Amino acid sequence: MPSLWSISRRRLLLGTAILSAALVGVTPAAAAEVSTEEARAIAKEAYVWGFPLVDSYRIQHSYFVDTSSPEYKGAWNEVHNTARVYTPDDKAIQTPNSDTPYSFVGADLRAEPLVLTVPEVDKGRYYSLQFIDMYTFNFAYVGSRATGNDAGSFLLAGPGWNGEKPAGVKEVIRSETEFVFVLYRTQLFGPDDIDNVKKIQAGYRVETLSSFLGRPSPPAAPTVDFLKPIGADEQKTSLGFFNQLNFILQFCPAHPSETELRARFAKIGIEPGKGFDAAGLSPEVRNAIEKGMADAWVEFENYKKSDIDTGKVSSADGFGTRAFLDGRYLDRMASAVLGIYGNSKDEAIYPAYFTDADGQPTAGGNRYTLRFGADQLPPVNSFWSLTLYELPASLLSANKLNRYLINSPMLPQLKKDADGGLTLYVQHESPGAENEANWLPTPSGPFFMIMRLYWPKTEALDGKWKAPPLERAQ
C-alpha cells in the first residue's frame, strides 16, 4: 500500500544532501550584517530556545549512539528495559525518579512509522509511555491514565507520513520531529516485586509498520553521522552549542509559529544542517554571542529565584505540549535544566523544595521535618514519592541506607504520629533508631527535593491541596 510510506526517493536524496551539508563548516556570514547588540540579543533568545534540544541530544546520544558510554542502552527502534530503579550511579539524566524502572525507545521515524505494543497491566499498577519530541515537548501518552491498562498497539509516525490508521492499531500518534524519545515507567511496589515488573517489560514491543503489516520495507533512510555532543558544562559557554543546535535542527521541520523566530536566528548563523563556524566570526560578534549565552543563564537564575524557588511557578507550568507551553521558552529551558523529561501535569506534578519554610536554601548541615496531617497526604490516583538530590549535580545522593526517596508504597513501614499524621526527617545524621523508618538522608552539602504525584487528583491540580512546608528543626 504505497500511501503507507512517508519517504519518497526524492525525500531520501534530499535527506542525504542535508546530512552531508551538516559535516561542512559554514561561516555564519549573515552575522557580519548585524550589530553586536542585535547579535547578543539573538544569541540569548536562541540559547533559551535551543537549550532543551541540545541537552536532550546529549542524553540520547549517550543512550542510543555512543556504544562506549556507560549510559548506552542499545540501538534505535528497539525497547531497552532497565529492570531496576535508578541509583546515584546513573548520571545521564538530571533528577531521575527512583520509583519506576524505566524502559526506553529511541525512535527514528524517517523511513517509516513504528508500532508500539503494550501488554495488559494489572489494574492496580501504574505504567506510562511518555512521547517526547526533539524540542522536549510531551506530545502524547499511553498508559494507566491516558489509555488504561488494557493491551494494545499504537502507531508512532514522523512529520512526513500521511498514511491511514491500519487495522489492529488503537491510535495514530504523530510527532513533528523525525526522532522521538519514548520513556516508559512501570511502577515497582517493593524489592520483591521486581520479577513482576520484568514480566511487564518483556511485553513491551516495538516494530516497524512494514513488519507489523507483514509487508516489504520501504527504502532505508540515509545513514546519520551523529555529531559528538559537547559536555554538559561546555554547553554553558562553548559556541559549539550552536553547531550542535544546527545539526539537530535538520530533523526538526520549522513549526509555522516559529518561522519568524528561525529567520531571526539565521542572522547569526543558526540554520538547520549547517556548521556553525565560530572561528569565522569577527571578535566583536563572537564576544557578543558569548555574552548572549551568559545573559540566558542570568535570566534563568533570576527566574529560578523569583518564580520557581518561591513557588510562583511549578513543574505544572514547564512540561507539556507545544500548545500548552505556547512560546514560554524560558519555562521550557528551566524545566530542562532542573528536571529534563518531566511529565505533563495531568500525568504527574512535582512540588519542589529548593528552600525551607523560611526561604533559606536547603543544606545538609541542617535538620528538617516535613509533616503531613492525617488527611493531608498527597492526593493521587496512583502513587506519590519524595526524592532527594544533591547539588550541583541534581543527581541521587549516596547514603548508607541506600535510600533516595520515601513513597506511598512504603507507608505500611513508616511510623505514624499520635494523631495519625506522618512526619518525615530530612537530615544528614540519623534522627535516632525510633525515627529511622521516616528518615530521608541528605548529603553534607546543598540539596533539593522533588515530590512526585503520579496521576494527581483534581485537588492537587487546582491548588486546593498544598504541599506542606519544609520546617527547619530547632
Side-chain angles (χ1 to χ4, degrees):
M1 186 182 299
S3 65
L4 289 173
W5 310 127
S6 63
I7 306 296
S8 65
R9 179 173 178 79
R10 179 180 178 187
R11 181 173 169 82
L12 287 177
L13 292 174
L14 176 60
T16 303
I18 292 174
L19 292 174
S20 299
L23 305 179
V24 179
V26 179
T27 301
E33 301 174 7
V34 299
S35 67
T36 54
E37 291 81 7
E38 186 178 11
R40 180 172 179 172
I42 293 172
K44 174 189 173 182
E45 184 180 21
Y47 190 93
V48 169
W49 181 86
F51 177 85
L53 288 79
V54 171
D55 201 48
S56 180
Y57 177 79
R58 174 185 64 82
I59 293 166
Q60 292 179 49
H61 187 277
S62 74
Y63 278 12
F64 308 118
V65 178
D66 184 3
T67 57
S68 66
S69 169
E71 304 291 345
Y72 183 70
K73 309 302 178 188
W76 299 98
N77 295 348
E78 298 176 358
V79 181
H80 305 289
N81 296 312
T82 304
R84 60 173 179 81
V85 293
Y86 269 35
T87 73
D89 292 330
D90 296 286
K91 300 180 184 300
I93 294 181
Q94 306 95 300
T95 61
N97 92 42
S98 195
D99 300 286
T100 60
Y102 287 120
S103 302
F104 310 89
V105 172
D108 178 355
L109 305 174
R110 293 173 300 141
E112 61 173 314
L114 297 179
V115 177
L116 289 73
T117 299
V118 297
E120 182 177 3
V121 177
D122 46 297
K123 300 301 182 184
R125 186 187 303 273
Y126 171 87
Y127 90 102
S128 67
L129 279 64
Q130 176 186 1
F131 293 79
I132 309 161
D133 67 19
M134 297 182 78
Y135 295 104
T136 68
F137 292 126
N138 298 333
F139 64 93
Y141 277 91
V142 165
S144 301
R145 178 197 62 84
T147 58
N149 281 32
D150 293 336
S153 296
F154 301 83
L155 187 145
L156 173 60
W161 188 76
N162 298 307
E164 299 296 327
K165 181 170 76 69
V169 166
K170 283 191 170 184
E171 181 183 344
V172 173
I173 297 170
R174 297 182 182 273
S175 167
E176 64 176 87
T177 63
E178 294 182 329
F179 287 85
V180 168
F181 184 40
V182 188
L183 184 55
Y184 298 59
R185 296 174 175 88
T186 309
Q187 185 179 6
L188 177 71
F189 294 117
D192 58 353
D193 184 44
I194 193 65
D195 286 341
N196 295 321
V197 168
K198 289 178 180 179
K199 290 177 184 176
I200 295 168
Q201 290 180 327
Y204 295 143
R205 301 200 317 271
V206 173
E207 56 192 318
T208 60
L209 177 58
S210 56
S211 174
F212 180 79
L213 296 174
R215 295 176 177 167
S217 301
T223 300
V224 180
D225 186 5
F226 287 101
L227 185 69
K228 182 179 180 180
I230 57 178
D233 289 336
E234 286 182 275
Q235 288 174 177
K236 294 183 177 181
T237 57
S238 171
L239 293 185
F241 173 96
F242 295 112
N243 190 55
Q244 193 164 306
L245 181 59
N246 280 2
F247 175 82
I248 297 163
L249 289 180
Q250 66 189 297
F251 307 111
C252 304
H255 190 270
S257 68
E258 295 180 342
T259 302
E260 292 183 7
L261 189 78
R262 292 281 198 103
R264 191 158 62 252
F265 293 167
K267 289 184 177 183
I268 62 169
I270 299 172
E271 299 181 78
K274 294 185 178 181
F276 186 88
D277 183 12
L281 297 169
S282 70
E284 294 79 13
V285 171
R286 180 188 178 99
N287 181 255
I289 293 175
E290 289 173 339
K291 287 181 177 178
M293 295 175 70
D295 292 343
W297 281 106
V298 170
E299 184 173 29
F300 161 76
E301 293 293 347
N302 289 339
Y303 179 68
K304 180 178 178 296
K305 291 176 183 176
S306 65
D307 290 60
I308 297 175
D309 291 353
T310 60
K312 291 181 182 178
V313 300
S314 70
S315 68
D317 302 291
F319 297 109
T321 63
R322 175 184 287 279
F324 173 75
L325 284 164
D326 193 24
R328 291 184 287 110
Y329 300 124
L330 184 59
D331 280 326
R332 190 177 71 178
M333 176 189 175
S335 297
V337 173
L338 298 173
I340 196 166
Y341 306 142
N343 278 296
S344 303
K345 66 178 182 179
D346 288 342
E347 195 70 30
I349 60 172
Y350 307 89
Y353 293 92
F354 291 98
T355 60
D356 62 23
D358 297 322
Q360 297 302 308
T362 45
N366 300 321
R367 294 180 294 117
Y368 303 94
T369 58
L370 190 71
R371 187 179 188 281
F372 300 92
D375 299 317
Q376 289 297 311
L377 288 174
V380 291
N381 291 297
S382 188
F383 72 99
W384 61 266
S385 68
L386 179 71
T387 309
L388 187 145
Y389 303 94
E390 61 184 31
L391 288 169
S394 296
L395 297 175
L396 297 168
S397 182
N399 60 79
K400 63 183 181 181
L401 293 185
N402 293 323
R403 182 184 294 165
Y404 318 118
L405 58 82
I406 290 177
N407 61 19
S408 51
M410 297 167 62
L411 282 173
Q413 288 79 49
L414 300 181
K415 178 183 176 182
K416 293 290 184 68
D417 298 337
D419 64 356
L422 177 68
T423 299
L424 304 182
Y425 300 91
V426 182
Q427 58 191 65
H428 186 59
E429 301 296 338
S430 171
E434 70 280 7
N435 293 320
E436 270 199 4
N438 296 20
W439 176 32
L440 186 56
T442 74
S444 57
F447 70 90
F448 68 99
M449 298 188 300
I450 299 291
M451 192 180 292
R452 289 177 167 86
L453 281 66
Y454 285 94
W455 194 353
K457 291 185 176 180
T458 302
E459 53 266 39
L461 293 172
D462 64 15
K464 290 181 180 177
W465 176 86
K466 301 289 187 184
L470 183 67
E471 302 284 356
R472 183 171 172 179
Q474 298 302 316

